[in-house]
C-alpha cells in the first residue's frame, strides 16, 4: 500500500469514527411488505443506513437501523412516519452514538 492510499484510508477511518449515528428500533408484524415499507421511508429522504439488521422473533420482525445523524427534527418526523405504517407494532429512537 502506498503512502497516499494509507493516508486516504486513515482519513476515512477517522471520519467514520467521528460520525454520530442514530439507531431506530422497529418491531413489526411478520409480513413480506414490512421491510420494503420501512426502508422506503429512509430512501425517500435520501438516507442510506450505515447498518441495517433484521431478525424474526415469533410472529414479529425486529429491525435495527443505524443512520448517520443529520437533524433531530428530520428523525422525529421519520419516526412518526414509521409508526404510522399499518404493520408497525412499535418504533423508537434508541439514541445517538459515535
Amino acid at each position: 500500500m502506498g503512502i497516499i492510499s494509507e493516508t486516504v484510508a486513515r482519513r476515512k477511518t477517522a471520519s467514520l469514527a467521528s460520525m454520530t449515528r442514530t439507531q431506530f428500533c422497529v418491531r413489526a408484524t411478520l409480513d413480506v411488505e414490512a421491510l420494503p415499507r420501512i426502508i422506503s421511508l429512509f430512501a425517500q429522504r435520501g438516507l442510506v443506513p450505515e447498518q441495517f439488521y433484521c431478525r424474526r422473533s415469533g410472529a414479529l420482525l425486529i429491525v435495527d437501523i443505524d443512520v448517520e445523524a443529520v437533524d433531530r427534527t428530520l428523525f422525529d418526523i421519520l419516526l412518526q412516519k414509521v409508526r404510522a405504517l399499518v404493520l408497525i407494532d412499535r418504533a423508537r429512537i434508541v439514541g445517538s452514538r459515535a
Side-chain angles (χ1 to χ4, degrees):
M1 187 182 275
I3 293 173
I4 294 174
S5 54
E6 286 178 15
T7 303
V8 170
R10 271 192 244 121
R11 284 184 186 159
K12 283 183 180 178
T13 303
S15 175
L16 288 173
S18 66
M19 193 170 29
T20 303
R21 296 188 304 180
T22 298
Q23 185 177 56
F24 287 79
C25 293
V26 181
R27 189 169 67 187
T29 302
L30 185 60
D31 187 283
V32 296
E33 289 296 317
L35 283 178
R37 289 181 184 185
I38 294 167
I39 202 66
S40 70
L41 293 173
F42 289 84
Q44 289 169 2
R45 285 150 187 85
L47 297 172
V48 177
E50 295 294 322
Q51 186 173 352
F52 184 90
Y53 178 75
C54 178
R55 67 187 177 281
R56 288 175 66 164
S57 178
L60 295 174
L61 193 59
I62 310 300
V63 183
D64 296 326
I65 305 165
D66 286 359
V67 182
E68 181 180 350
V70 181
D71 177 14
R72 180 62 191 213
T73 304
L74 172 65
F75 287 152
D76 288 339
I77 292 168
L78 185 57
L79 182 61
Q80 292 306 314
K81 297 275 188 186
V82 170
R83 286 178 175 161
L85 293 173
V86 75
L87 297 170
I88 302 304
D89 179 53
R90 182 178 71 176
R92 62 192 173 107
I93 295 176
V94 173
S96 297
R97 65 177 194 253

